[in-house]
Amino acid sequence: MSSALEQDPSLKLPAPSRGDRGGNLGLARNLGLVIALVVLCVVGLITAGDRFASTDNLLTILRLAAVVGVVSIGMTFVITGGGIDLSVGAILALASVWATTTGTQDMADSIGWIAMVFSALLVGTCAGLINGLLVAYGKVVPFIATLAMLASARGLAEVIADRKTQIIRNQGFTDFFDAEPLGIPVIVIIFALVTVAGWFLLNRTTFGRRTFAVGGNPEAARLAGIKVQRHTVYLYALLGLTCGIAAVMLMSRTTTGSSTHGTLLELDAIAAVVIGGTLLSGGRGTVVGTLFGVLIFTILTNVFTLNNLSTSTQNVAKGVIIVVAVLLQQRIANRKT
């Protein structure tokens, strides 16, 4: 194994410092995100004043960021590992519909609302597992495999719900997720816990180091003893799990399950991850950067909404930000090369 690595320099394993521990480069990147966040907040204060700075608006921003943020954390792992997933919105919709069917809610009435949560998590994880198996063992290109899942999951959700919105009638579920311990909404607390857990998993565990290695150079990772295919399946299953968590959060916000939930969520999640500094080509990822990316997009949307600007203008601004972020990534990659 060592001789193969020595004979072919292209099989060199990526340095383990490509994540949030990326030294001066990582600090500079995060500093740029912080500056962008501060600029947006200043613009919000100037244009919307107290409406932007109010506690209620801050909680609104965090609530909006929570759902896409949880999915973006999972997306960070997949993209860092060299993949991509276009089906996260459809998986979220399927999980929300499955968890709010009459049968599931009847079960929740009998054994507790946790049955609805478990159902959503199980559906999300299984869908992610299928994606991972198709990509890793079926050798299907991630773009095609997850595009197929997007269509299939959304279609299945429509069939199950009969294209109708399913109302959550379990009071225990509603009461739990409507609570605000210390004035903080439960879904915001969940977002914070998922972010901390994601950061720890990516930067302080063997699983995280293997993710960087698989995304940076799969063949070198294989020669180093990493089960690349199995690890790829784990990454997609993890993303599916975060979709299940996000489905529960969205169910609690809307008190519904619907096949229309999560529409275009995949674009928001990928955009937040890219803005945060994770390379689309894999091998480098940052959960902290993803968090900043989510907040930047959410605050941008909030500022535009407070100033009664059209969604078309918002989309143009988001597109410009994404292009600039990708160009900066290419410049950084070329400089390292």
Side-chain angles (χ1 to χ4, degrees):
M1 181 182 68
S2 59
S3 59
L5 290 173
E6 291 171 358
Q7 292 172 7
D8 189 352
S10 67
L11 299 183
K12 183 180 179 182
L13 280 169
S17 61
R18 290 189 175 186
D20 290 334
R21 297 169 290 171
N24 293 332
L25 182 60
L27 290 174
R29 185 169 59 246
N30 288 335
L31 180 60
L33 293 171
V34 171
I35 292 173
L37 200 60
V38 170
V39 169
L40 278 175
C41 290
V42 171
V43 172
L45 287 170
I46 293 173
T47 59
D50 292 339
R51 288 183 300 153
F52 177 82
S54 67
T55 302
D56 288 342
N57 188 58
L58 174 61
L59 293 177
T60 297
I61 291 173
L62 293 177
R63 286 191 187 96
L64 293 174
V67 173
V68 65
V70 167
V71 175
S72 298
I73 298 299
M75 187 70 78
T76 301
F77 280 84
V78 168
I79 293 180
T80 301
I84 198 163
D85 194 336
L86 303 180
S87 65
V88 290
I91 292 175
L92 183 152
L94 178 61
S96 76
V97 166
W98 202 298
T100 54
T101 58
T102 301
T104 305
Q105 294 204 61
D106 287 343
M107 185 186 303
D109 292 338
S110 301
I111 65 176
W113 56 265
I114 196 68
M116 297 171 63
V117 174
F118 180 76
S119 176
L121 299 184
L122 182 61
V123 170
T125 304
C126 288
L129 187 63
I130 292 172
N131 278 337
L133 290 172
L134 288 173
V135 172
Y137 294 99
K139 304 300 182 183
V140 181
V141 177
F143 181 90
I144 300 300
T146 57
L147 187 62
M149 177 59 74
L150 183 155
S152 301
R154 186 76 70 181
L156 182 57
E158 291 175 352
V159 170
I160 293 173
D162 195 23
R163 295 180 178 270
K164 297 177 181 177
T165 298
Q166 299 176 161
I167 306 299
I168 295 175
R169 63 172 189 268
N170 188 286
Q171 194 60 42
F173 179 92
T174 304
D175 290 342
F176 178 84
F177 286 99
D178 278 348
E180 296 187 1
L182 303 177
I184 304 174
V186 168
I187 64 171
V188 175
I189 295 174
I190 294 173
F191 176 33
L193 292 175
V194 170
T195 301
V196 172
W199 179 89
F200 182 83
L201 185 62
L202 187 62
N203 294 281
R204 293 293 183 268
T205 67
T206 302
F207 184 88
R209 290 192 291 273
R210 288 175 177 172
T211 300
F212 289 125
V214 169
N217 193 324
E219 181 61 18
R222 185 187 66 80
L223 292 174
I226 297 173
K227 304 293 184 182
V228 174
Q229 291 175 309
R230 185 170 64 185
H231 192 82
T232 299
V233 173
Y234 289 160
L235 291 176
Y236 281 94
L238 176 63
L239 177 52
L241 175 62
T242 61
C243 290
I245 296 172
V248 173
M249 297 164 71
L250 191 56
M251 286 159 51
S252 70
R253 266 181 49 199
T254 62
T255 65
T256 64
S258 173
S259 59
T260 61
H261 281 338
T263 303
L264 298 181
L265 177 64
E266 53 277 354
L267 300 184
D268 289 337
I270 293 171
V273 172
V274 172
I275 292 299
T278 297
L279 282 181
L280 278 172
S281 56
R284 190 185 77 202
T286 160
V287 170
V288 173
T290 296
L291 173 61
F292 283 129
V294 170
L295 292 177
I296 285 172
F297 275 123
T298 307
I299 292 175
L300 179 68
T301 300
N302 182 258
V303 171
F304 275 56
T305 301
L306 290 176
N307 288 280
N308 298 318
L309 296 175
S310 68
T311 54
S312 300
T313 307
Q314 294 180 36
N315 291 334
V316 170
K318 288 181 179 180
V320 171
I321 292 173
I322 293 169
V323 170
V324 171
V326 172
L327 290 175
L328 287 175
Q329 281 194 4
Q330 292 177 344
R331 183 176 179 181
I332 291 172
N334 290 336
R335 183 179 299 174
K336 290 181 64 120
T337 301

